[in-house]
Amino acid sequence: MRECEKVLDYFNNELSNTEREKFEKHLESCDECREELEELRMLTDDLPFSSDPVEPPEGMKDRVLGAVFEEDKEVSEDQVVPLNEHRSKEEGPAHAPKPRGNRQRWMMSGLAAALAVSLIGNVYILSNGGEESVSEPPISESTDEVNSRVLLQGEATTASATAAIIRQNESQLLTLQAEQLDQLEGDQVYQVWLLAGDQPYRAGTFVANSNGEGAVAFSMDQLPADIDWEAVAVSKEPDAESQTPQGEVILSSTL
Amino acid sequence: MMAVVKEKKGCVMSNRDLEYYQKMMNGDKQSLEAIYDKYEKLLYSFVIKLSSDHSLAEEVLQEVFIKLWTQKAQYDETKGKFSSWIVTITRYTAIDLIRARKESVSLEEETDVPEEKGDSVEDLVEWKEKSTDVRRALSQLSDEQRRIVDLFYFKGCSQSKIAEECNLPLGTVKGRLRLALKHLKKHLSIQEGGISDA
């Protein structure tokens, strides 16, 4: 099938990952397909309003929002470190961990692995949907606290990331997880930077997996102490060696 | 050629939506709840129309609001209205879950173009304003056009599936669909009294 004939299947999410990537590449250079897609979106955007009103079942709101906020709690605990001491202050007493749904699994396993490795080395690359496993993550007892948590966005990309600086005893850890990343080519990597004044400091390197997801955990012990970090950014670099940003900064946020 | 349809006045609810959305991004649970209250019935009804499955509909809503809250899906106000965005997320979430369940949606029965039943569409202004118009516009399509729209948009079928179901050569599906959708939009615009067609 010619690429231009895949517009409908792209719109309906019927393409395989490879096909989708190929088509998205095609979209960059084909005005006609972009217009057709935009037109499809516009022409269909009233259709949901033809739905017959159906009364939702009793208690649905409580169940749905309950699950949403519960999910959030699990995610933030995992983001903070797979140790058992952390509680954020407003969330009250410990709750029994519940089995997690599939939807978060890539994120959980990826982050847990990333964090575990970060305690050994400093940088971990997540690829292949977070399937890597790390044997025997180091066990330590500590209470962690999120010092700051920010959302990184960029103007020329749909990618986004969240970053958190976590205080763990006397150390600080930077975690970052990104999604909807463009695929890299050759030796290219995504590089995380912490910025103070005009000075960028390397703060972890990662690549995107086939789903466009990547994560990093970085021990800030190797950075100069007592710096007031102003911003965090992600750039696309030609290789993992850049000491200052060589490529474009795609995502950033002030801290 | 793109038909350009003027935005109806009276649908300018997005400012409030945006305000809720931004507060929610900063972790305000009440704002998420406000969004939920506003869209619950529309989204629920929409998923029922897509899947005819009540338990799936609840699961879809849960998934959608988790995506919102955990910011896995992010709204960009420069790309359109919040309501269009949230129904789009809902549609994709529903399609994904339906596929994941491997429940082959029965294609025997076309999702009926609903009769006007006088059911209340409740307090969502945009729904109230549009439901009658959209239904009427749908009813003015030919049976084949309605079927193509139904298979494509509400059933999320692939191009080849639509070709098979409608007995059309693969290469003509896109053209037929676009024509049907353009007719639909034209009927809608006439009803709404504001059209400029480029």
Side-chain angles (χ1 to χ4, degrees):
Chain A
M1 231 196 249
R2 278 175 57 232
E3 289 302 310
C4 293
E5 284 155 22
K6 293 181 183 165
V7 173
L8 298 192
D9 287 345
Y10 179 74
F11 185 93
N12 270 353
N13 214 4
E14 279 276 353
L15 300 179
S16 69
N17 283 348
T18 328
E19 284 177 315
R20 192 174 59 233
E21 280 162 27
K22 204 170 151 208
F23 183 79
E24 283 172 351
K25 201 143 226 143
H26 165 76
L27 268 185
E28 289 170 15
S29 62
C30 182
D31 293 344
E32 205 173 321
C33 282
R34 276 205 310 275
E35 275 176 29
E36 277 183 25
L37 266 182
E38 187 49 41
E39 187 191 56
L40 278 176
R41 286 191 189 114
M42 191 201 70
L43 291 175
T44 54
D45 71 354
D46 286 326
L47 285 171
F49 298 103
S50 69
S51 308
D52 263 334
V54 182
E55 204 60 53
E58 192 138 339
M60 184 172 94
K61 178 179 170 181
D62 289 343
R63 290 192 295 276
V64 168
L65 291 186
V68 169
F69 295 133
E70 186 69 17
E71 186 86 14
D72 173 55
K73 201 162 18 167
E74 289 178 11
V75 171
S76 61
E77 283 182 5
D78 269 55
Q79 278 171 341
V80 168
V81 148
L83 303 174
N84 52 13
E85 292 292 320
H86 167 75
R87 301 280 169 253
S88 78
K89 290 180 187 77
E90 75 248 63
E91 306 201 307
H95 68 286
K98 291 187 3 182
R100 295 175 186 127
N102 276 333
R103 67 177 79 86
Q104 293 294 348
R105 196 156 290 149
W106 70 265
M107 202 152 95
M108 303 292 184
S109 58
L111 272 170
L115 286 164
V117 173
S118 79
L119 303 173
I120 307 166
N122 62 46
V123 163
Y124 183 69
I125 294 168
L126 173 62
S127 61
N128 299 328
E131 280 160 17
E132 290 87 341
S133 63
V134 175
S135 56
E136 301 184 34
I139 294 162
S140 63
E141 291 284 335
S142 70
T143 303
D144 308 321
E145 186 185 333
V146 174
N147 280 1
S148 62
R149 179 158 176 238
V150 294
L151 176 70
L152 287 78
Q153 289 177 307
E155 283 178 3
T157 176
T158 54
S160 64
T162 50
I165 293 178
I166 298 156
R167 174 164 294 284
Q168 189 179 64
N169 298 329
E170 296 309 307
S171 301
Q172 289 202 101
L173 200 62
L174 172 75
T175 67
L176 179 141
Q177 61 177 112
E179 59 186 24
Q180 295 188 34
L181 293 161
D182 291 336
Q183 295 299 311
L184 297 166
E185 287 164 14
D187 292 334
Q188 285 186 330
V189 293
Y190 287 107
Q191 176 70 43
V192 184
W193 306 92
L194 278 166
L195 293 102
D198 290 334
Q199 177 73 38
Y201 293 83
R202 287 164 61 90
T205 314
F206 63 99
V207 295
N209 68 10
S210 58
N211 294 326
E213 299 149 355
V216 77
F218 180 80
S219 163
M220 292 168 66
D221 290 351
Q222 47 202 302
L223 298 173
D226 301 324
I227 289 193
D228 206 1
W229 299 109
E230 290 163 16
V232 56
V234 176
S235 68
K236 197 190 274 184
E237 296 297 318
D239 55 48
E241 306 301 320
S242 307
Q243 294 306 309
T244 55
Q246 310 292 314
E248 47 170 346
V249 170
I250 57 158
L251 297 169
S252 62
S253 169
T254 52
L255 284 167
Chain B
M1 282 301 177
M2 308 254 298
V4 180
V5 179
K6 282 182 197 160
E7 184 83 323
K8 269 182 77 183
K9 64 177 190 263
C11 295
V12 195
M13 297 302 290
S14 44
N15 283 348
R16 176 58 68 81
D17 284 344
L18 186 61
E19 193 185 315
Y20 285 143
Y21 181 75
Q22 282 165 345
K23 281 192 189 160
M24 182 218 80
M25 292 278 283
N26 290 324
D28 181 28
K29 293 184 178 181
Q30 275 78 31
S31 294
L32 184 79
E33 191 178 345
I35 295 172
Y36 181 90
D37 287 340
K38 184 168 171 184
Y39 287 102
E40 177 191 52
K41 194 167 174 183
L42 173 67
L43 300 183
Y44 187 77
S45 304
F46 180 41
V47 182
I48 298 288
K49 186 169 173 70
L50 297 173
S51 74
S52 314
D53 180 337
H54 289 253
S55 75
L56 182 109
E58 180 162 340
E59 201 180 330
V60 169
L61 256 72
Q62 181 172 319
E63 188 89 12
V64 166
F65 282 91
I66 285 172
K67 285 179 184 167
L68 246 79
W69 181 245
T70 59
Q71 303 180 11
K72 287 192 80 171
Q74 289 180 7
Y75 168 59
D76 177 352
E77 78 234 49
T78 62
K79 293 189 180 151
K81 283 187 298 187
F82 183 82
S83 59
S84 304
W85 178 77
I86 199 170
V87 293
T88 302
I89 301 282
T90 304
R91 178 174 176 272
Y92 283 117
T93 306
I95 289 177
D96 284 352
L97 273 183
I98 291 165
R99 285 183 193 149
R101 283 191 178 188
K102 294 257 193 302
E103 279 179 4
S104 55
V105 179
S106 162
L107 298 172
E108 305 303 310
E109 266 180 78
E110 175 178 341
T111 305
D112 289 332
V113 179
E115 301 295 317
E116 289 173 45
K117 287 181 189 161
D119 270 353
S120 162
V121 292
E122 307 282 318
D123 46 355
L124 188 64
V125 178
E126 194 175 5
W127 197 6
K128 206 181 279 178
E129 285 180 345
K130 286 186 178 167
S131 65
T132 315
D133 290 348
V134 183
R135 290 169 197 207
R136 194 175 294 144
L138 275 168
S139 72
Q140 281 164 354
L141 298 182
S142 72
D143 287 351
E144 190 201 68
Q145 286 182 324
R146 244 195 336 266
R147 181 141 173 82
I148 291 187
V149 171
D150 183 62
L151 290 171
F152 174 71
Y153 187 77
F154 292 107
K155 298 283 193 287
C157 292
S158 68
Q159 191 163 328
S160 58
K161 185 80 187 167
I162 299 171
E164 189 189 316
E165 289 290 322
C166 295
N167 232 341
L168 290 170
L170 190 64
T172 62
V173 171
K174 187 163 80 177
R176 300 282 180 105
L177 175 73
R178 288 176 72 190
L179 198 64
L181 289 172
K182 282 182 176 177
H183 276 179
L184 184 77
K185 205 67 172 183
K186 202 174 96 193
H187 288 306
L188 260 177
S189 309
I190 291 167
Q191 286 159 11
E192 291 174 1
I195 182 172
S196 65
D197 205 338

